[in-house]
Amino acid sequence: MSLPDLAENASPWLRKAGPEGDVVISSRVRLARNLAGYPFLTQASPTQRRDILHMCRRRILDSNLAQRMLWVDLSESPRLDRDILVERHLISRQHSRGKKPRGVALADDETIAIMVNEEDHVRLQVLRSGMQLDEAYAQADHIDDTLEAHLDFAYSPKLGYLTACPTNVGTGIRVSVMLHLPALKLTGEVDKMRRAAKDMHLAVRGFYGEGTEAAGDLYQISNQTTLGRSERQILRDFAEVVIPRVVEYERRARIALLEKRPVVVDDKVHRALGALRTARLLSSEEALYLLSAVRMGVSMGRLDGVSMAGINELLLLTQPGHLQRMAGVAMSGAERREFRARYIRRRLGG
Amino acid sequence: MSLPDLAENASPWLRKAGPEGDVVISSRVRLARNLAGYPFLTQASPTQRRDILHMCRRRILDSNLAQRMLWVDLSESPRLDRDILVERHLISRQHSRGKKPRGVALADDETIAIMVNEEDHVRLQVLRSGMQLDEAYAQADHIDDTLEAHLDFAYSPKLGYLTACPTNVGTGIRVSVMLHLPALKLTGEVDKMRRAAKDMHLAVRGFYGEGTEAAGDLYQISNQTTLGRSERQILRDFAEVVIPRVVEYERRARIALLEKRPVVVDDKVHRALGALRTARLLSSEEALYLLSAVRMGVSMGRLDGVSMAGINELLLLTQPGHLQRMAGVAMSGAERREFRARYIRRRLGG
């Protein structure tokens, strides 16, 4: 795998819809770790920062992490490469925009990404399609063990793993899922879900991560606190209670919509596909909105000849960075809107 | 011709686009007349009103007006029949909703409509497709002469024809054209046109007549005063100066749009056709808006396989009255939106 190849195809793990794929787009487990004997990055000297980077880089690439790992030195990567990694959820926007020495190690199937010198010294994540939090956690746990054999992580017997931000202290774990909730949005129940999630100390974010609105009816739900409970408790609550309940609500809302307002559903999903097949100019926001509606139509069995995996792929590939990589040139917003519309027409047979 | 047949097809005169049909949808000449020896209708007794109605009805039907004429007694017509006549611009909304004895004589090709007991005793109109004001006037003048041989119209040597509303006194003539001005609308120049029209004492109205907004970029322009100038002067100013200028502006705006923003034009017209072919619910307003955009695309040569006449026809047939007549049952607003979308999909191959 090389970075330039990325833009042409969706991440391999996303190409097949996973378990509960009608509602759950992806599962993610992230662990935050810091090296013992070094200050957190806010306090680290330039030399310490470089030492951390080199040590982590070498140990990660030397560890036998099952998959072939690629190292990306983000201080030297062009802006477009970094944008593509953000759009693929492989690095955070902050990590992309940082100025100091930093990098990321990626598995060639993109299920593993280990950021070095983001907010913590090491942030490793495992991504899977659909509802696969247990599998993602098992793999993250294994990687953590493997790395810990070579790296000395800061750990307090009383507090657990020490992290730069207090909300991560303890297990340092964040579990999250990306959910597609168009029916709950249509019926207005999504606000109830948001309030309930807040009461359970869960964070609800949009497709583009922290601080973004839920564009295209895509919601990312994650735990917010990690202190005082074990990884397995956090995971069990989240994966066996909270998310299955939201998935169930969404499915019931879809069934109720189809029973009570089938024409409203068909109007929405057929128009969306029609617009994608005919538009000559499409913004990212509108593309996301329309693809989301088509995804709902496919999952509800109202649209033929369009595959769920194809729509998932378009959600990724029609983002600005990916489009420009495909086009092979930097493009203005207007040029991107035109290129995006043409690309989608070609893919959806407009 | 019988009324029930009307809803199935567009008015025969509308089925072919007329001269300057890219911009001018239709031309209309209307003459207002009142019988000498009878008061205006606001002052007429019930007996006088009935006398006027019977006399006019008989004389109109007895006159040899070239075409076979059908008489519709509006006091006895069902609501739906009257709605259809309004939607075809054969009677005014006021005439449709009146309570007192009144009627209309219609030519079987719908180019002639003679309302009796609307605001004036007699209001005769001639409709033509495209820019055909001279032809419409010649025919209206001929009908006027023919009727005048049998009916004594109130006329003052000083003022001319006497009418119920002072704005019609004199020639009693109103000339109007229905224009399609999507490019002037897109460039914002339509407001300039409106102001210029106002300065020239012209009225600018929407598709649905007096007091309506210009839905679907359709504008009806007509003269407002008739006193002190001859029919031929009014007609010449309007048909040879004012309207050709607006038509020219619209054409230039279309050419400029295609040169400067071809993608914006294509985006608008292809999306509109896409929406018409995929929607499952369509309001009259949205249908009018989308059909107007498609009409622009056809006239600018940007859409294949769609005929101008077909779009003109849909503009007429997708109105509420016509839809209900086609369906054969009265329908709620929601039912009409569904039926309208299905009908348009069938016609446009969705």
Side-chain angles (χ1 to χ4, degrees), chain A residues 202-226:
Chain A
L202 301 173
V204 181
R205 303 188 176 100
F207 182 60
Y208 300 118
E210 202 145 2
T212 65
E213 267 308 292
D217 310 331
L218 295 171
Y219 296 83
Q220 195 190 104
I221 304 189
S222 60
N223 69 312
Q224 275 188 304
T225 53
T226 72

Side-chain angles (χ1 to χ4, degrees), chain A residues 173-191:
Chain A
I173 196 173
R174 176 149 298 167
V175 293
S176 68
V177 288
M178 184 74 77
L179 300 175
H180 186 221
L181 306 176
L184 289 178
K185 181 75 176 296
L186 263 180
T187 59
E189 288 170 280
V190 87
D191 290 324

Side-chain angles (χ1 to χ4, degrees), chain A residues 22-23 180 182-183 250-258 299-300:
Chain A
D22 54 333
V23 180
H180 186 221
E250 170 65 20
R251 284 183 182 150
R252 270 193 222 157
R254 290 184 190 179
I255 291 168
L257 266 179
L258 268 191
S299 81
M300 290 167 88

Side-chain angles (χ1 to χ4, degrees), chain A residues 103-287:
Chain A
V104 64
L106 304 171
D108 56 2
D109 67 356
E110 299 176 45
T111 53
I112 306 169
I114 308 174
M115 292 191 286
V116 179
N117 285 0
E118 201 241 23
E119 189 179 290
D120 294 296
H121 299 164
V122 174
R123 282 195 164 184
L124 76 90
Q125 78 164 17
V126 175
L127 268 170
R128 293 286 184 109
S129 68
M131 185 65 185
Q132 296 197 65
L133 278 174
D134 287 335
E135 296 79 352
Y137 174 71
Q139 189 172 15
D141 192 39
H142 172 72
I143 295 169
D144 185 37
D145 289 347
T146 308
L147 292 181
E148 208 156 16
H150 305 280
L151 293 165
D152 185 15
F153 290 145
Y155 183 85
S156 143
K158 191 170 152 217
L159 293 170
Y161 287 103
L162 301 177
T163 55
C165 176
T167 59
N168 293 315
V169 168
T171 61
I173 196 173
R174 176 149 298 167
V175 293
S176 68
V177 288
M178 184 74 77
L179 300 175
H180 186 221
L181 306 176
L184 289 178
K185 181 75 176 296
L186 263 180
T187 59
E189 288 170 280
V190 87
D191 290 324
K192 227 162 60 188
M193 183 276 288
R194 291 186 92 120
R195 282 194 299 273
K198 213 178 150 193
D199 291 344
M200 289 184 284
H201 303 289
L202 301 173
V204 181
R205 303 188 176 100
F207 182 60
Y208 300 118
E210 202 145 2
T212 65
E213 267 308 292
D217 310 331
L218 295 171
Y219 296 83
Q220 195 190 104
I221 304 189
S222 60
N223 69 312
Q224 275 188 304
T225 53
T226 72
L227 185 64
R229 298 167 68 216
S230 76
E231 288 91 339
R232 298 203 177 273
Q233 277 177 319
I234 291 169
L235 192 66
R236 199 168 46 232
D237 267 17
F238 195 76
E240 289 170 25
V241 181
V242 177
I243 301 306
R245 199 173 295 165
V246 179
V247 170
E248 185 56 29
Y249 284 153
E250 170 65 20
R251 284 183 182 150
R252 270 193 222 157
R254 290 184 190 179
I255 291 168
L257 266 179
L258 268 191
E259 275 172 12
K260 286 182 208 153
R261 300 192 282 164
V263 187
V264 172
V265 172
D266 282 343
D267 187 58
K268 184 183 166 87
V269 304
H270 281 97
R271 276 182 190 245
L273 185 56
L276 290 168
R277 283 177 168 164
T278 54
R280 263 57 182 168
L281 290 169
L282 269 176
S283 67
S284 322
E285 293 71 26
E286 193 187 0

Side-chain angles (χ1 to χ4, degrees), chain B residues 39-333:
Chain B
F40 291 132
L41 290 163
T42 45
Q43 307 297 325
S45 70
T47 310
Q48 288 173 316
R49 191 178 180 96
R50 264 195 303 275
D51 288 350
I52 296 165
L53 183 73
H54 292 147
M55 189 184 317
C56 292
R57 176 183 185 280
R58 203 175 62 237
R59 296 288 154 82
I60 292 167
L61 296 180
D62 287 352
S63 305
N64 214 338
L65 290 179
Q67 279 117 326
R68 199 161 63 88
M69 300 293 285
L70 168 80
W71 176 259
V72 182
D73 184 335
L74 293 168
S75 326
E76 297 192 345
S77 309
R79 165 72 188 269
L80 194 54
D81 284 0
R82 287 178 279 132
D83 284 351
I84 285 175
L85 294 175
V86 172
E87 291 174 359
R88 292 172 103 85
H89 296 275
L90 294 171
I91 64 174
S92 63
R93 202 165 287 277
Q94 301 87 292
H95 205 40
S96 148
R97 293 189 179 160
K99 297 265 174 271
K100 299 177 180 168
R102 69 206 187 284
V104 63
L106 304 170
D108 56 3
D109 67 357
E110 300 178 43
T111 53
I112 306 168
I114 307 174
M115 293 191 284
V116 178
N117 286 359
E118 200 241 23
E119 188 178 290
D120 294 296
H121 298 165
V122 174
R123 283 195 164 184
L124 77 91
Q125 77 165 18
V126 175
L127 268 171
R128 292 287 183 108
S129 67
M131 185 66 184
Q132 295 197 64
L133 278 174
D134 287 335
E135 296 80 352
Y137 174 71
Q139 189 173 17
D141 191 40
H142 172 73
I143 295 169
D144 185 37
D145 288 347
T146 308
L147 293 180
E148 207 155 17
H150 305 281
L151 293 165
D152 185 14
F153 290 145
Y155 183 85
S156 143
K158 194 173 151 213
L159 293 170
Y161 288 101
L162 301 177
T163 56
C165 175
T167 60
N168 292 315
V169 168
T171 61
I173 196 173
R174 176 149 296 168
V175 294
S176 66
V177 289
M178 184 75 77
L179 300 175
H180 186 222
L181 306 176
L184 289 178
K185 181 75 175 295
L186 263 179
T187 61
E189 288 171 280
V190 86
D191 290 326
K192 225 161 61 186
M193 183 277 288
R194 291 187 92 120
R195 283 193 297 273
K198 212 178 152 195
D199 291 344
M200 290 185 284
H201 304 288
L202 301 172
V204 180
R205 303 190 176 98
F207 183 61
Y208 301 119
E210 202 147 0
T212 65
E213 268 308 293
D217 310 330
L218 296 171
Y219 297 82
Q220 195 189 104
I221 304 189
S222 60
N223 69 311
Q224 277 190 305
T225 53
T226 73
L227 185 63
R229 298 166 69 214
S230 76
E231 288 91 338
R232 297 203 178 273
Q233 277 176 318
I234 291 168
L235 191 66
R236 199 167 48 231
D237 266 18
F238 194 76
E240 289 170 27
V241 181
V242 177
I243 300 306
R245 198 173 296 166
V246 179
V247 170
E248 186 57 28
Y249 284 153
E250 169 65 19
R251 284 184 184 149
R252 273 192 221 156
R254 290 184 191 179
I255 290 167
L257 266 179
L258 267 191
E259 274 171 12
K260 288 181 207 151
R261 299 192 281 164
V263 188
V264 172
V265 171
D266 283 342
D267 187 59
K268 185 183 165 86
V269 305
H270 281 97
R271 276 182 189 244
L273 185 56
L276 290 168
R277 282 177 168 163
T278 52
R280 264 54 181 170
L281 290 169
L282 270 176
S283 68
S284 323
E285 293 72 25
E286 193 188 1
L288 186 56
Y289 171 82
L290 295 171
L291 288 167
S292 163
V294 169
R295 195 181 191 282
M296 176 173 88
V298 173
S299 82
M300 289 166 89
R302 311 304 288 184
L303 290 174
D304 296 330
V306 182
S307 82
M308 187 71 107
I311 296 300
N312 286 347
E313 200 168 16
L314 283 176
L315 282 170
L316 183 70
L317 299 182
T318 56
Q319 296 178 90
H322 280 77
L323 281 185
Q324 292 178 87
R325 171 52 57 79
M326 275 191 274
V329 286
M331 292 187 285
S332 69

